[in-house]
């Protein structure tokens, strides 16, 4: 995390956040939190000599998406449900939300700060992949109540003009054409290393439930394995799986197909994920390397069908 000028957060948004925590007029330090793609995220640290310090996180959805984006009602309901579970790490608690942006200027959600920091560095990546596997297993094993607000997970097999890329997307679509992705569990929907925080090497929090869905828990496994393979390589993806299966006490059936389902989130070009990684300090990554790693991940999954 690095400090950014307060001008990066519009005054309207800052005023909304301060009003939501009853801190209008109090001094506030604003820090932009790096590494995300879906939202512009700022840490607001409110405090004075005569008042205890408060730290909250403001996430504003400033990008152009579909008319139903962002699904803030889903995230609010999901975090309330997950908050009922006994997990060995923290998840944020919702303090306020502005689904249409009338108050904040953009759709927004205000959350409690959770401990830890982002760590996408290559060092000790195997250990962090194992921690991530255990954390996901703990979430799935807790089986949070599934709120009615959650939309169902969908598998999109759409062909695009970019299918001429070296990755065998037509083979992926053929392989998944009759594959069932039915499921009724609460799934994170965007579970990867960039949505986990670490403190002294220990996973301390899981974040960003914007893409939460009602669906198959196996999607979270395949998607996270794909993300790890792009960040580091296949060894980290496999270490994540070993840790997940050991902690969950089960074997992930049809793993190759679920890997392909996860990889489809990177279709047609995984370099679209690069801005978040670069912002988080992974300057070693570039489109060619990420594309090569995605191709290797997809090719191995296809070979195991």
């Amino acid at each position: 995390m690095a400090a950014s000028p307060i001008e990066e957060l519009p005054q309207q948004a800052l005023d909304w956040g301060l009003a939501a925590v009853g801190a209008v007029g109090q001094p506030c330090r604003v820090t932009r939190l790096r590494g995300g793609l879906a939202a512009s995220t700022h840490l607001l640290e409110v405090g004075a000599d005569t008042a205890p310090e408060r730290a909250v996180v403001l996430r504003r959805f400033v990008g152009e998406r579909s008319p139903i984006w962002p699904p803030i009602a889903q995230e609010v309901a999901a975090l309330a449900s997950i908050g009922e579970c006994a997990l060995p790490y923290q998840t944020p608690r919702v303090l306020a939300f502005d689904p249409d942006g009338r108050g904040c200027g953009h759709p927004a959600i205000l959350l409690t700060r959770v401990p830890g920091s982002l760590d996408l560095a290559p060092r000790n990546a195997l250990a962090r992949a194992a921690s991530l596997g255990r954390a996901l297993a703990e979430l799935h094993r807790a089986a949070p109540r599934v709120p009615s607000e959650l939309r169902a997970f969908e598998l999109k097999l759409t062909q695009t003009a970019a299918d001429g890329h070296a990755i065998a997307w037509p083979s992926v679509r053929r392989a998944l054409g009759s594959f069932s992705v039915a499921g009724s569990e609460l799934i994170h929907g965007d579970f990867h290393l960039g949505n986990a925080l670490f403190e002294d090497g220990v996973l301390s929090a899981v974040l960003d439930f914007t893409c939460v869905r009602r669906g198959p828990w196996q999607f979270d496994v395949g998607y996270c394995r794909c993300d790890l393979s792009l960040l580091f390589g296949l060894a980290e993806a496999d270490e994540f799986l070993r840790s997940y299966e050991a902690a969950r006490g089960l074997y992930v059936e049809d793993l190759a197909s679920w890997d392909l389902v996860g990889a489809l989130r990177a279709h047609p070009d995984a370099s679209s994920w690069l801005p978040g990684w670069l912002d988080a300090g992974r300057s070693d990554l570039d489109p060619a390397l990420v594309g090569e790693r995605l191709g290797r991940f997809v090719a191995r999954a296809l070979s195991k069908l």
Side-chain angles (χ1 to χ4, degrees):
M1 291 181 278
S4 295
I6 195 169
E7 295 81 49
E8 288 195 6
L9 183 66
Q11 188 65 44
Q12 179 183 358
L14 177 60
D15 291 344
W16 179 83
L18 292 176
V21 295
V24 174
Q26 293 189 30
C28 179
R29 186 175 70 171
V30 178
T31 306
R32 185 175 76 84
L33 303 183
R34 302 187 184 277
L37 288 175
S40 176
T41 306
H42 290 80
L43 173 68
L44 311 184
E45 294 175 288
V46 183
D49 293 339
T50 58
E53 184 178 78
R54 297 187 64 178
V56 297
V57 173
L58 174 59
R59 300 181 69 234
R60 296 177 302 123
F61 298 88
V62 298
E64 294 295 328
R65 296 281 186 124
S66 68
I68 57 173
W69 178 267
I72 287 180
Q74 286 197 135
E75 186 167 7
V76 171
L79 285 172
S81 175
I82 293 165
E84 299 167 0
C85 301
L87 294 170
Y89 50 82
Q90 292 191 37
T91 56
R93 182 169 52 84
V94 178
L95 298 172
F97 58 98
D98 183 9
D100 55 19
R102 292 182 183 178
C104 190
H106 286 95
I109 185 168
L110 191 70
L111 304 159
T112 56
R113 184 187 191 182
V114 287
S117 58
L118 192 64
D119 187 357
L120 302 188
R123 69 181 187 284
N124 301 322
L126 282 172
R128 273 176 286 123
S131 296
L132 208 58
R134 289 190 293 272
L136 182 60
E138 287 153 352
L139 176 63
H140 289 168
R141 191 169 54 205
R145 172 182 52 81
V146 180
S148 60
E149 290 89 345
L150 298 197
R151 299 204 304 271
F153 174 82
E154 295 180 71
L155 176 61
K156 298 180 180 179
L157 298 174
T158 307
Q159 182 175 355
T160 73
D163 267 0
H165 196 277
I167 297 168
W169 293 120
S171 297
V172 172
R173 282 194 295 275
R174 285 193 296 272
L176 296 177
S178 59
F179 185 66
S180 173
V181 294
S184 57
E185 298 85 16
L186 184 153
I187 62 174
H188 186 286
D190 194 25
F191 192 89
H192 59 79
L193 191 59
N195 283 333
L197 300 182
F198 291 82
E199 196 170 41
D200 297 326
V202 177
L203 190 148
S204 55
V206 172
L207 313 169
D208 192 356
F209 287 79
T210 302
C211 296
V212 67
R213 293 288 186 273
R214 169 176 46 84
W217 57 265
Q218 297 93 333
F219 170 76
D220 281 341
V221 175
Y223 175 64
C224 190
R225 276 171 51 79
C226 178
D227 183 84
L228 287 169
S229 75
L230 302 189
L231 274 174
F232 309 113
L234 297 176
E236 284 75 11
D238 291 343
E239 181 65 17
F240 165 84
L241 177 67
R242 283 191 290 270
S243 178
Y244 178 90
E245 289 182 331
R248 187 88 192 269
L250 54 74
Y251 173 75
V252 181
E253 297 182 355
D254 300 317
L255 176 66
S257 294
W258 288 112
D259 280 352
L260 294 177
V261 174
L264 274 175
R265 285 282 287 271
H267 174 269
D269 184 1
S271 64
S272 63
W273 294 355
L274 268 175
W277 292 332
L278 294 174
D279 193 37
R282 285 298 303 273
S283 58
D284 59 305
L285 298 174
D286 59 39
L289 178 58
V290 168
E292 175 189 341
R293 287 177 173 175
L294 178 60
R296 195 178 305 137
F297 181 78
V298 169
R300 186 175 73 163
L302 287 170
S303 73
K304 292 180 177 293
L305 292 175

